[in-house]
Amino acid sequence: MDRRPQFKDPALAKALLTKIGMLAKDLPEVRIMEVCGTHTMEIGRLGLRQRLPDNIRLLSGPGCPVCVTPGEVIDSAVSYAQMPNHVLATFGDMIRVPGSGQSLEQVKANGAAIAIVASPLQLIKMAEERPETTIVFAAVGFETTIPAVARTIEIAAEKKLPNLKMLVAHRLLPPALSALCGDADTHISGFLLPGHVSAIIGEEVYRTIDELNVPGAITGFEALDILGGILSVLEMLINQTALIINMYPRVVRPEGNPHARALIHKFFTPIDAAWRGIGIIPQSGLALRDEFKAFDAPVLTQGSSTLPKGCSCGKVLKGLITPSGCSLFGSACTPQTPIGPCMVSSEGSCAAYYRYERINR
Amino acid sequence: MCLAVPGKIIAISETTATIDMEGNSITADISIVPDAVVGDWAIIHAGFVIQKYDEHEALETLKLLREAAQMGEVK
């Protein structure tokens, strides 16, 4: 049965917070990065940041796929949406993000053909029903989402649907962790590692990242999961160990999901890729393999990965500052008038802080 | 974007599973979790079953958390 209610138990949450408070007394400032945007949202919603001891800081990482999607991908999506006989399909989160010019939402208001989907499987039906129309999917997301897109391509290949194309902007988490740990400015004490990415990639892969020499807890998404993850990282810091502990074994197996990874491997090959606000991270993106290039909708423009003037999303994504450390946060940049991608996406750190944590230390 | 939620598999036909999700019946592709069977709990993301949900491990984690917090036995 579903055990989620028990992972919300307020009495146990309170006891874990007390234990965290006890351990924190023996530690200097601890900077724990929650890599995943879904964690950022949940931590904000639960008000956990404010409940932790002053020396335990939670930093939001680069794990909001929409936030790190380069402007040139957004610009290309906008261009595809405006082409005759094309429909641009996307997850809803992408629609408000500005590239170098307009967002998808703005061109949609002017009549561009944009369809919001909840599952890539919807693309199959769209492509079947409209054989004269090219359906271009803005394929963003991390390892959690990539198998869904790979399986959709597999079905499209089986059904011979030449009118379904993928604008591939997937990103891989382990290379980003490697880059973050290798950055001398980040000073990260430990990681809450993303539960659902780990459901696919497993535990073992983290132990192969040479640069990852701080504690990491693979963490689920309920209150007790997050508190347990924090507690686990603090215990490792006190014991001066830097292990990867799986605190979400009900979903994450040591080997992850090999079937999902085989499917990713069948259709995609790793490439160097740009992360908006961060830069190029080696082997952190994916391209369709040559034999499946018929399903490729290429990026149409180059070199628009920069951030808007004054925007500090790059520093926010690396945990160098919290959103409230950006001079635009909450004044010029709000969810109603977003400037940077981290304010646009509902899972972006800035949007989560604006919604839940404007009164913040 | 990595939001994924548990549901119970109530039927499987080829690569499509019917999932009971808090009383709502939805369908999801189950091809990347081929060993799942009817009656299993699973985690669903963007129309896909991405992994089985292990209730025994859920109870073990709760027990571990209670021990870590120095509380009593899990109910």
Side-chain angles (χ1 to χ4, degrees):
Chain A
M1 62 182 279
D2 184 3
R3 294 287 176 176
R4 275 180 296 174
Q6 282 160 282
F7 281 90
K8 302 177 198 284
D9 175 5
L12 185 45
K14 202 172 170 189
L16 288 168
L17 274 166
T18 304
K19 185 69 192 273
I20 287 169
M22 284 162 57
L23 295 187
K25 286 180 186 153
D26 296 327
L27 287 163
E29 183 181 80
V30 173
R31 294 162 56 84
I32 301 174
M33 176 173 278
E34 86 269 4
V35 179
C36 172
T38 309
H39 276 149
T40 301
M41 284 295 289
E42 203 54 22
I43 287 165
R45 195 180 69 77
L46 294 165
L48 284 185
R49 238 177 281 275
Q50 291 80 2
R51 301 292 301 273
L52 292 173
D54 286 343
N55 62 327
I56 310 299
R57 305 285 302 269
L58 293 182
L59 309 166
S60 305
C64 155
V66 171
C67 303
V68 300
T69 298
E72 63 212 40
V73 174
I74 314 278
D75 290 346
S76 300
V78 165
S79 297
Y80 281 119
Q82 293 174 309
M83 287 181 189
N85 300 320
H86 280 64
V87 171
L88 188 284
T90 177
F91 292 127
D93 241 17
M94 283 287 283
I95 193 152
R96 294 181 61 219
V97 185
S100 61
Q102 290 179 298
S103 66
L104 289 169
E105 185 178 55
Q106 286 165 328
V107 294
K108 187 173 195 283
N110 290 325
I114 293 168
I116 294 175
V117 298
S119 167
L121 285 177
Q122 292 169 257
L123 305 170
I124 299 293
K125 193 159 176 269
M126 287 168 68
E128 283 179 321
E129 287 175 354
R130 304 176 68 173
E132 306 303 316
T133 302
T134 300
I135 313 293
V136 178
F137 182 58
V140 302
F142 295 118
E143 287 90 336
T144 319
T145 310
I146 301 167
V149 172
R151 172 68 182 142
T152 303
I153 300 169
E154 188 174 53
I155 297 170
E158 285 166 9
K159 291 181 176 262
K160 297 187 170 55
L161 296 173
N163 57 326
L164 177 55
K165 312 281 182 190
M166 299 292 176
L167 172 57
V168 180
H170 290 304
R171 293 293 179 267
L172 304 174
L173 190 83
L177 279 180
S178 181
L180 275 170
C181 293
D183 187 328
D185 296 329
T186 51
H187 303 296
I188 297 165
S189 321
F191 285 102
L192 298 185
L193 296 166
H196 293 143
V197 164
S198 304
I200 305 298
I201 69 175
E203 303 176 32
E204 293 302 331
V205 65
Y206 295 109
R207 300 184 181 112
T208 66
I209 303 173
D210 290 338
E211 294 82 358
L212 184 54
N213 52 12
V214 295
I218 297 170
T219 303
F221 298 90
E222 303 297 341
L224 298 192
D225 288 317
I226 295 168
L227 290 169
I230 294 168
L231 188 57
S232 170
V233 168
L234 297 186
E235 282 175 342
M236 283 191 269
L237 288 171
I238 286 173
N239 295 329
Q240 298 186 330
T241 56
L243 303 174
I244 301 299
I245 303 274
N246 182 3
M247 297 294 287
Y248 196 36
R250 64 190 188 274
V251 171
V252 177
R253 311 287 120 79
E255 71 283 8
N257 182 334
H259 300 285
R261 288 201 307 280
L263 201 58
I264 295 172
H265 181 77
K266 179 179 174 184
F267 291 96
F268 295 107
T269 186
I271 52 167
D272 295 351
W275 294 54
R276 198 173 195 182
I278 295 179
I280 303 277
I281 300 178
Q283 301 294 289
S284 67
L286 291 175
L288 278 164
R289 289 187 181 276
D290 287 344
E291 55 267 44
F292 299 105
K293 284 287 185 197
F295 295 100
D296 194 35
V299 171
L300 301 172
T301 58
Q302 291 297 332
S304 51
S305 289
T306 52
L307 290 165
K309 196 163 176 251
C311 171
S312 302
C313 278
K315 287 182 179 169
V316 171
L317 290 166
K318 287 203 268 187
L320 299 178
I321 60 169
T322 59
S324 44
C326 172
S327 61
L328 304 182
F329 178 77
S331 53
C333 186
T334 70
Q336 287 71 42
T337 56
I339 292 176
C342 299
M343 186 63 90
V344 184
S345 168
S346 63
E347 284 197 349
S349 309
C350 299
Y353 270 70
Y354 188 90
R355 187 165 178 193
Y356 297 117
E357 304 186 45
R358 265 179 290 167
I359 305 165
N360 199 9
R361 61 171 187 252
Chain B
M1 184 171 277
C2 286
L3 198 64
V5 285
K8 187 178 183 181
I9 301 168
I10 52 176
I12 298 175
S13 172
E14 295 180 4
T15 58
T16 302
T18 306
I19 314 284
D20 177 358
M21 202 165 267
E22 296 181 345
N24 293 316
S25 178
I26 64 153
T27 58
D29 187 287
I30 198 163
S31 54
I32 61 170
V33 189
D35 58 336
V37 295
V38 171
D40 281 347
W41 280 78
I43 295 285
I44 324 296
H45 167 75
F48 288 79
V49 177
I50 63 166
Q51 189 54 281
K52 288 202 285 185
Y53 178 98
D54 186 328
E55 188 185 359
H56 172 73
E57 289 286 7
L59 294 172
E60 283 296 309
T61 302
L62 284 166
K63 191 175 158 201
L64 186 80
L65 290 171
R66 293 183 79 85
E67 284 167 7
Q70 289 156 349
M71 288 178 73
E73 286 297 303
V74 63
K75 284 173 204 163

